[in-house]
Amino acid sequence: MESRSGETFIEWIDDRYSTDIDRFDEQHKHLFGLLNDLYVAMDEGHSEEAIGDILRELERYTEYHFGDEEEFMQDCGYAMDCADCFYNHREMHEEFAQTVSEFRERHENGEPITMDVLEFARDWLDAHIAASDEDQKYAGYYRESVPDDYEYSPGKLNTTREGDRTYEAPADETAVVLRSNVHVGGAVSIPHGTMADWLADRAADYADRPVAYVRTDAGYETRTFEAFYERARRVAGGFLDAGVEPGTTVGIRAAPSYEWSVVDAACHLAGLISVPIYPAFSDERAVATETTDGVSVLVTDDTASEAVTEVADTVFGLDALPTAEIEDLPGFDADPDDIATVVHQIGRDADPLGCSITHRNLLAAVATLGHQFPVSPGATGTCLLPLSHVFQRVATYYLWDNGAGTAYLPADDFVDGLQAVEPEILVGVPRVYEHLHDTFQDRIDDLGRMKRRLADGAAIERGEARSGVGGSSLTDSAAARLVLRPVREQLGLGNVEHALSGLGTLPADLLYFFWGCDIPVSQVYGATELTGVGCLVEHDSATPEALGSPMPGTEVAIAEDGEILFRGDHVVDSYWETSDVAVSATQDGWYHTGDYGEFDDAGRLHRVDRD
């Protein structure tokens, strides 16, 4: 990016900076881009808030890149064969990361950020990456000493940057044979640490911004990040004060609400493992979930039956949560690979094992959505699905990660809620969009015969034209202006920048309809075992029937028998067992979806019938 003077602060030059390792060239280029963004923001007098956002992203991405690079150096053998070089290099990483953090802290304390800060970062990156520095040395080592069939799999090493980073040998398992190449969605910056660390950081970053919009008799009232965090801290303290030990599985059976999210955050802060229980589960299914997951503490609203509540040793009402002030909460002592929550598939009739989702899984999925769907601080997103639904829960975290607020809308009247909050981010699943489509059509019918005739078929034709598979007429343009846009705004959808549909597929005609109404629905193909994210069909795609392209942070391949496989930091490694032995969810690092597919020439994944 150039400043208004046309100057690029730091320019990538392949001959000087390239390591010939694509993964790290991409990461280095991203660091260069952040410095250029910061330079432009300062040169053009952008707001202090915008500068702060860039500094926080620079701090987070620096931590991610250094951790990934050090892990790679150990995994490929460089750290052992060139030990002194590696530890000297690591000390340089620590120095730079600490300096970037100091810059960010100075800015948050109201101290001005001057150009000497940028010049330090530029000079350090130049010295770190270019010429004969360590990055070039390990690049040479990679070319000369690492076998051609070596493949780096991120996440095999301990990612904490405190203490020794030791290799964890993979379990003895049968290697997966692939039919296809591995398709990679690109790198993402995963926040370091645990969900407790992440919550504290978000509260500090966005203290006075709205974290939630809560329906009251007077309309929707806001709650701030700071107030939410302090409430969650006190509830976490209340759980611990009541004798709930860290590591306890805590069931949450209630409709989606602000207080549901408070309990969720409190579990993260207290080091408890939350077990969301879908409110619509039958008593038999809910009891089976509690029993399988060893739930001894249950938080519920007033809809749970006695059969459900009597399984737990302790029951807290959602409207009467315990509170206490405890300074040092154990959630901050957890490891990123510890289990944060156990989530069960909602749509399966049988009683499957719950997915043991770690802190790293959650934060990786959050980073994936944030990279794919940029959102500005202060925006509003929706929560109208049960928070036991992994996609809604991760999407809520994604909103908070970017300083956006979540509007908790009633499931039985969410259209009125949309009209009240006019969100920028709409989060749903196919049935939500099917209901919206029907409501849209009803509103068109109410406009009278002339406008109904004008709009007949116009939305789908406009959607097909936008995806390149058809043409649009002047009549369609008139319908968009006179009918579709007014109805869209009437439904509270006039501000929508991203409309996410997860964990299911929409018919192509329905996607064309929304695209033609200028509602940018993008379809996410995922599963609970993928923490809700995997592949994406972006709005206006020429192939709406596809499962899509790999999302950032995701690797996808086709097994020898045609099964679709996923790998990445968001992929769940195991299922929950009440015994000490976890049931593996992956083989050779790959999650087997049970779906079968193939890639087209553009790298888009399509579902096919089993061979």
Side-chain angles (χ1 to χ4, degrees):
M1 181 179 292
E2 294 182 347
S3 68
R4 57 189 172 190
S5 64
E7 179 183 354
T8 298
F9 183 68
I10 182 168
E11 183 178 358
W12 179 269
I13 303 170
D14 270 343
D15 289 344
R16 181 169 179 80
Y17 297 121
S18 178
T19 63
D20 292 328
I21 302 174
D22 290 343
R23 182 183 189 85
F24 298 117
D25 281 357
E26 183 178 349
Q27 292 177 15
H28 291 152
K29 288 176 182 177
H30 188 64
L31 286 172
F32 278 39
L34 288 172
L35 282 187
N36 282 323
D37 289 346
L38 187 56
Y39 176 75
V40 169
M42 293 171 63
D43 184 59
E44 297 186 356
H46 293 188
S47 68
E48 292 301 314
E49 186 177 321
I51 291 173
D53 288 343
I54 298 171
L55 282 170
R56 283 187 288 272
E57 175 60 17
L58 178 62
E59 180 182 35
R60 288 167 56 183
Y61 198 82
T62 295
E63 183 69 26
Y64 158 72
H65 165 60
F66 288 164
D68 193 57
E69 188 173 87
E70 290 170 12
E71 183 178 84
F72 171 84
M73 288 178 173
Q74 293 192 60
D75 192 48
C76 75
Y78 179 83
M80 291 179 286
D81 292 350
C82 314
D84 290 341
C85 299
F86 169 74
Y87 284 105
N88 289 340
H89 194 56
R90 189 177 180 189
E91 287 178 4
M92 292 176 65
H93 281 176
E94 297 286 356
E95 176 190 6
F96 184 75
Q98 182 178 353
T99 303
V100 170
S101 295
E102 289 173 359
F103 291 159
R104 189 263 307 158
E105 290 171 2
R106 281 167 49 188
H107 181 266
E108 290 180 351
N109 291 331
E111 298 179 38
I113 300 298
T114 57
M115 282 298 170
D116 63 306
V117 169
L118 282 176
E119 289 168 358
F120 164 83
R122 177 185 61 189
D123 294 345
W124 189 94
L125 280 176
D126 181 80
H128 173 73
I129 300 171
S132 60
D133 190 66
E134 223 60 55
D135 280 25
Q136 301 300 327
K137 290 181 181 178
Y138 78 70
Y141 176 87
Y142 181 79
R143 288 189 294 268
E144 297 166 10
S145 304
V146 176
D148 291 341
D149 60 354
Y150 166 77
E151 183 176 341
Y152 170 50
S153 299
K156 291 196 300 185
L157 305 180
N158 179 7
T159 58
T160 178
R161 301 195 55 226
E162 300 295 331
D164 294 333
R165 297 165 62 86
T166 56
Y167 182 79
E168 298 174 358
D172 182 18
E173 54 187 17
T174 305
V176 171
V177 179
L178 303 181
R179 173 192 294 182
S180 72
N181 293 328
V182 177
H183 292 248
V184 181
V188 293
S189 172
I190 301 173
H192 180 65
T194 66
M195 289 298 294
D197 297 315
W198 176 82
L199 284 164
D201 289 344
R202 299 292 76 74
D205 291 344
Y206 306 119
D208 295 330
R209 291 188 183 278
V211 71
Y213 297 85
V214 180
R215 190 172 70 158
T216 68
D217 292 340
Y220 281 83
E221 296 181 355
T222 62
R223 305 287 188 270
T224 66
F225 277 87
E226 184 175 44
F228 171 76
Y229 180 69
E230 287 306 313
R231 168 76 173 148
R233 274 190 63 88
R234 288 186 57 78
V235 172
F239 285 148
L240 297 169
D241 190 59
V244 183
E245 297 288 335
T248 299
T249 49
V250 176
I252 311 174
R253 187 196 182 279
S257 66
Y258 174 74
E259 285 297 295
W260 199 110
S261 290
V262 167
V263 174
D264 180 32
C267 287
H268 290 316
L269 293 169
L272 309 174
I273 300 172
S274 61
V275 181
I277 300 172
Y278 189 39
F281 275 173
S282 65
D283 284 358
E284 181 181 8
R285 177 85 187 270
V287 168
T289 299
E290 292 177 274
T291 304
T292 300
D293 297 345
V295 169
S296 59
V297 177
L298 179 68
V299 178
T300 184
D301 54 20
D302 57 7
T303 62
S305 69
E306 183 178 351
V308 173
T309 59
E310 69 182 7
V311 175
D313 298 329
T314 305
V315 178
F316 296 109
L318 193 66
D319 58 354
L321 296 171
T323 59
E325 190 62 51
I326 294 180
E327 188 66 28
D328 297 320
L329 294 173
F332 292 96
D333 298 325
D335 186 273
D337 290 319
D338 287 345
I339 298 170
T341 184
V342 180
V343 179
H344 290 255
Q345 280 260 17
I346 291 173
R348 293 179 181 166
D349 294 331
D351 186 41
L353 294 173
C355 293
S356 299
I357 300 179
T358 66
H359 298 271
R360 187 191 314 283
N361 292 149
L362 290 171
L363 292 174
V366 168
T368 291
L369 288 175
H371 193 283
Q372 187 69 58
F373 302 106
V375 56
S376 300
T380 302
T382 63
C383 174
L384 51 90
L385 303 173
L387 281 159
S388 46
H389 201 305
V390 70
F391 185 67
Q392 177 67 77
R393 193 163 165 211
V394 167
T396 300
Y397 294 155
Y398 141 74
L399 292 169
W400 295 344
D401 194 49
N402 291 277
T406 300
Y408 295 86
L409 309 184
D412 58 351
D413 193 19
F414 73 84
V415 173
D416 282 351
L418 292 173
Q419 293 169 341
V421 301
E422 297 185 330
E424 285 83 12
I425 312 298
L426 181 61
V427 180
V429 290
R431 62 179 173 81
V432 168
Y433 290 97
E434 289 164 1
H435 181 75
L436 272 179
H437 168 266
D438 293 344
T439 303
F440 213 106
Q441 292 285 28
D442 289 344
R443 297 295 173 91
I444 292 174
D445 290 345
D446 292 341
L447 295 177
R449 185 172 60 87
M450 291 296 293
K451 287 188 176 180
R452 186 168 61 247
R453 287 183 59 189
L454 179 64
D456 186 32
I460 290 179
E461 288 179 4
R462 290 188 79 237
E464 290 175 336
R466 293 181 66 154
S467 66
V469 298
S472 183
S473 66
L474 291 175
T475 302
D476 294 340
S477 298
R481 185 176 69 258
L482 299 174
V483 182
L484 302 180
R485 182 171 65 188
V487 172
R488 185 179 77 244
E489 293 174 349
Q490 183 186 112
L491 293 176
L493 302 175
N495 296 332
V496 172
E497 298 171 4
H498 303 297
L500 284 57
S501 179
L503 302 185
T505 55
L506 285 165
D509 280 357
L510 206 58
L511 287 171
Y512 288 141
F513 174 85
F514 283 111
W515 297 345
C517 294
D518 296 318
I519 300 172
V521 177
S522 295
Q523 186 165 267
V524 177
Y525 168 76
T528 305
E529 287 87 348
L530 303 177
T531 322
V533 299
C535 284
L536 177 74
V537 175
E538 292 190 75
H539 63 85
D540 301 341
S541 168
T543 55
E545 76 286 351
L547 297 179
S549 302
M551 297 180 73
T554 300
E555 297 179 57
V556 189
I558 305 299
E560 188 175 34
D561 64 352
E563 188 173 8
I564 300 169
L565 313 178
F566 281 86
R567 186 169 64 183
D569 283 323
H570 59 90
V571 175
V572 173
D573 185 61
S574 64
Y575 295 104
W576 179 266
E577 277 281 5
T578 52
S579 68
D580 292 334
V581 180
V583 178
S584 177
T586 62
Q587 180 184 349
D588 196 22
W590 291 99
Y591 168 64
H592 293 239
T593 62
D595 290 331
Y596 291 79
E598 62 186 12
F599 291 100
D600 62 24
D601 292 341
R604 292 179 292 250
L605 182 65
H606 295 256
R607 185 187 277 115
V608 299
D609 293 332
R610 186 171 184 175
D611 294 343

